[in-house]
Amino acid sequence: MSENRKTLIYVGVAAALLLLVLITTPGRVNPEEYSDVGELFFEDFTDPNSATTLEIIKFDEEIGTAKPFKVTFDGQIWAIPSHHNYPADGKDRLARTAAGLIGIKKDGFRSDNAADHEACGVIDPLDETATSLAGRGERVTVKDASGQVLADLIIGRATGEEENLRFVRVPRQKRIYVSKLDLNISTSFADWIETDLFKVEKDEIEKVIIRDYFINERTRRVVKRGEVLLAKTNGDWKAGKMRSNEEINSTKMDSLLRGIDELSIVGVRPKPEGLSQSLSQAEENIPMSDEAMLSLQSKGYYFTRDGSLLSNEGELEVQTSEGLTYVLRFGEVLYGEAEAVTAGTEGSDEKSTGPGENRYLFITTSFNEDFFIEPTQPRSLEFQGKTDEDLTDTDKQNKELYEKHEGWKKQVEKGQKKSTLLRQRFAKWYYVISSSSFEKVHLKKSDLVQKKSQ
């Protein structure tokens, strides 16, 4: 073989190897694609307290519909518009979510191709032009009091590369980034509200009255099944009219008290304005409109001729060491799931099919002015301004009486204030509780009173 032929062969092999290298080597990195990696998504958003609206939009693939959840501040209270503007006590959660969005960085670049949006799960849940129901992300938007957008991001699937790494995209932009997210984003109604309705510990409960009755809805007759008064004396519970061979079932009693203490709501419905106004006043003397009456009856509540309010499944009265009395009236079964329970969807409250695992609850509260016995007032206040060395025996007696009387006044004022706040809040809403909560607090005398063990 001639030298020239050998040379040509070597050149050909070298060229082939070079071509193979060019084919198998990844494409040259475009500097523009990585120019903003490491930057913050929302560099102008620096103060989490400037956030007054948080909207989270998820997409339900089963029904092919975007489901929004919003928490907003209207200048007076934080509220949840999708749930009849029910107060959002979880405003601290909003601040934490906002703070988490502030620190989000573009930790990596993934794609500039819109065709990759579905695979990465970053299709806008509000995009009506997208044909696929799958691959839609969760859109989180934060605004300030003027409505200006502070942050807006579509959160997609986990990358599977490292914990908390997710694909993300800014709406109306094609580029997909990878970001490390540590956000606790919730669209659960219960996560944004104060579910502890009564703010009472079970050890503070001193008396419970169970009024066991039901209303025959066809005849509107009240069918009484019994009533029992349970009272705590020196830490021990006794039932009224209990025979000598009977005792309280301590396990059931503890379960009842714990059920009252832990009673939480799963949904709300607004009461008609006239009814709410009447119930928010100390004296309930505002005339009831036809709308209010129909609203009550649809939830399982009825007024008697003497003006008493009765409910489908009886009631429970709870008295506490703060002088407060709560009355829980148990109404109709509520059918449905998800938002049909938490907020009510169109026609959902009228359905009589499907899961019936919840029930309406009507709550009223009052303060017993005579619960705390007023101590004797001092005959004189001459002790005021004197040093301890200058106090006479009479001054000391009057000072002691004064301090006891002031303590009594503070107890009464505290009870009155709490009762007023609770009454105003309870007045606006029908609450919805789960069947498990209902079963814990809806007991009969036979559940609580048993024969003494031999």
Side-chain angles (χ1 to χ4, degrees):
M1 183 181 292
S2 66
E3 290 298 324
N4 287 339
R5 186 175 177 81
K6 288 181 179 179
T7 301
L8 289 172
I9 291 173
Y10 291 147
V11 170
V13 171
L17 290 172
L18 178 61
L19 179 61
L20 180 64
V21 169
L22 291 173
I23 293 173
T24 57
T25 301
R28 183 179 299 277
V29 174
N30 182 353
E32 291 182 2
E33 294 176 347
Y34 292 85
S35 62
D36 58 352
V37 169
E39 294 180 1
L40 293 170
F41 271 99
F42 313 108
E43 57 183 16
D44 295 331
F45 181 23
T46 58
D47 180 11
N49 294 316
S50 64
T52 59
T53 297
L54 169 68
E55 185 171 32
I56 305 163
I57 300 174
K58 292 185 176 182
F59 192 83
D60 189 326
E61 292 183 11
E62 290 187 6
I63 60 176
T65 304
K67 299 177 69 175
F69 183 89
K70 182 186 290 186
V71 179
T72 189
F73 184 68
D74 66 2
Q76 294 182 322
I77 64 167
W78 291 88
I80 305 172
S82 60
H83 289 67
H84 317 286
N85 285 315
Y86 189 80
D89 300 287
K91 58 181 178 292
D92 292 339
R93 176 183 284 271
L94 187 149
R96 290 194 299 271
T97 302
L101 286 167
I102 285 174
I104 292 180
K105 291 183 178 181
K106 302 169 183 177
D107 293 318
F109 165 81
R110 184 50 53 100
S111 173
D112 253 338
N113 191 345
D116 294 328
H117 289 179
E118 181 178 344
C120 294
V122 291
I123 297 177
D124 190 339
L126 294 176
D127 188 351
E128 296 180 353
T129 65
T131 57
S132 174
L133 298 181
R136 295 183 182 248
E138 183 174 280
R139 184 167 176 176
V140 182
T141 306
V142 176
K143 298 179 182 180
D144 65 14
S146 66
Q148 179 179 345
V149 175
L150 301 174
D152 196 5
L153 197 66
I154 301 169
I155 302 173
R157 296 190 174 102
T159 66
E161 301 164 2
E162 187 180 331
E163 188 178 3
N164 293 333
L165 273 185
R166 304 282 290 271
F167 296 117
V168 296
R169 182 171 71 89
V170 175
R172 293 175 293 279
Q173 294 182 13
K174 291 191 298 182
R175 179 165 294 187
I176 304 170
Y177 296 94
V178 173
S179 292
K180 190 160 190 174
L181 303 182
D182 188 18
L183 291 174
N184 183 14
I185 300 175
S186 174
T187 58
S188 170
F189 175 63
D191 286 340
W192 289 95
I193 65 169
E194 177 56 77
T195 56
D196 184 2
L197 282 175
F198 303 135
K199 297 286 188 182
V200 61
E201 301 295 330
K202 70 186 186 88
D203 292 339
E204 296 173 350
I205 300 172
E206 295 193 339
K207 187 180 292 185
V208 176
I209 303 174
I210 298 172
R211 299 186 179 96
D212 184 18
Y213 65 85
F214 70 93
I215 297 174
N216 185 317
E217 294 184 46
R218 186 175 60 83
T219 63
R220 296 291 174 88
R221 288 184 58 219
V222 179
V223 181
K224 295 183 178 180
R225 294 180 289 206
E227 180 172 318
V228 60
L229 186 153
L230 302 150
K232 183 170 64 175
T233 305
N234 298 324
D236 294 325
W237 284 91
K238 301 288 184 183
K241 299 180 181 179
M242 195 164 62
R243 298 185 180 122
S244 59
N245 66 337
E246 293 178 329
E247 64 181 359
I248 294 292
N249 183 324
S250 59
T251 301
K252 287 282 190 179
M253 190 69 212
D254 186 68
S255 178
L256 171 62
L257 297 174
R258 190 165 57 251
I260 296 169
D261 176 16
E262 298 173 356
L263 187 70
S264 59
I265 62 174
V266 296
V268 292
R269 301 290 188 279
K271 292 173 183 168
E273 187 172 343
L275 176 59
S276 296
Q277 183 183 4
S278 174
L279 294 170
S280 66
Q281 307 299 318
E283 59 284 341
E284 301 174 11
N285 57 359
I286 296 177
M288 207 62 56
S289 66
D290 290 341
E291 179 192 7
M293 295 295 289
L294 289 173
S295 171
L296 284 165
Q297 291 175 18
S298 70
K299 305 295 188 292
Y301 302 102
Y302 305 87
F303 273 105
T304 62
R305 292 178 180 177
D306 63 0
S308 299
L309 180 63
L310 299 179
S311 49
N312 266 7
E313 286 296 330
E315 58 192 65
L316 185 70
E317 182 175 315
V318 179
Q319 299 179 22
T320 75
S321 57
E322 293 182 302
L324 290 169
T325 296
Y326 302 84
V327 179
L328 288 63
R329 296 179 173 91
F330 306 108
E332 281 282 4
V333 170
L334 175 64
Y335 297 90
E337 298 174 297
E339 282 195 22
V341 171
T342 62
T345 53
E346 187 175 353
S348 63
D349 291 0
E350 286 73 42
K351 291 180 180 179
S352 58
T353 59
E357 299 181 351
N358 305 280
R359 188 174 291 271
Y360 287 111
L361 177 66
F362 190 113
I363 308 172
T364 55
T365 186
S366 60
F367 176 70
N368 182 0
E369 299 281 351
D370 299 323
F371 183 81
F372 300 107
I373 299 174
E374 181 178 4
T376 303
Q377 296 191 48
R379 294 186 175 183
S380 169
L381 299 179
E382 291 181 0
F383 63 88
Q384 293 181 336
K386 291 184 180 181
T387 63
D388 290 344
E389 292 78 11
D390 294 333
L391 292 177
T392 64
D393 290 342
T394 301
D395 288 334
K396 291 177 181 178
Q397 290 175 356
N398 283 324
K399 183 179 180 181
E400 183 178 351
L401 291 173
Y402 174 81
E403 290 172 350
K404 288 181 178 179
H405 197 269
E406 286 298 299
W408 168 81
K409 284 172 61 177
K410 288 180 181 179
Q411 280 183 314
V412 171
E413 289 169 1
K414 179 183 176 181
Q416 289 172 332
K417 182 178 179 180
K418 185 173 181 178
S419 177
T420 298
L421 291 173
L422 289 172
R423 184 172 63 247
Q424 291 173 347
R425 182 158 188 167
F426 294 157
K428 298 178 181 179
W429 307 99
Y430 298 109
Y431 294 99
V432 180
I433 59 173
S434 66
S435 59
S436 59
S437 289
F438 173 68
E439 289 165 3
K440 289 177 182 176
V441 297
H442 188 254
L443 302 179
K444 303 183 290 292
K445 182 177 180 179
S446 58
D447 296 320
L448 293 159
V449 178
Q450 63 184 14
K451 287 186 177 181
K452 289 182 178 178
S453 55
Q454 300 299 323

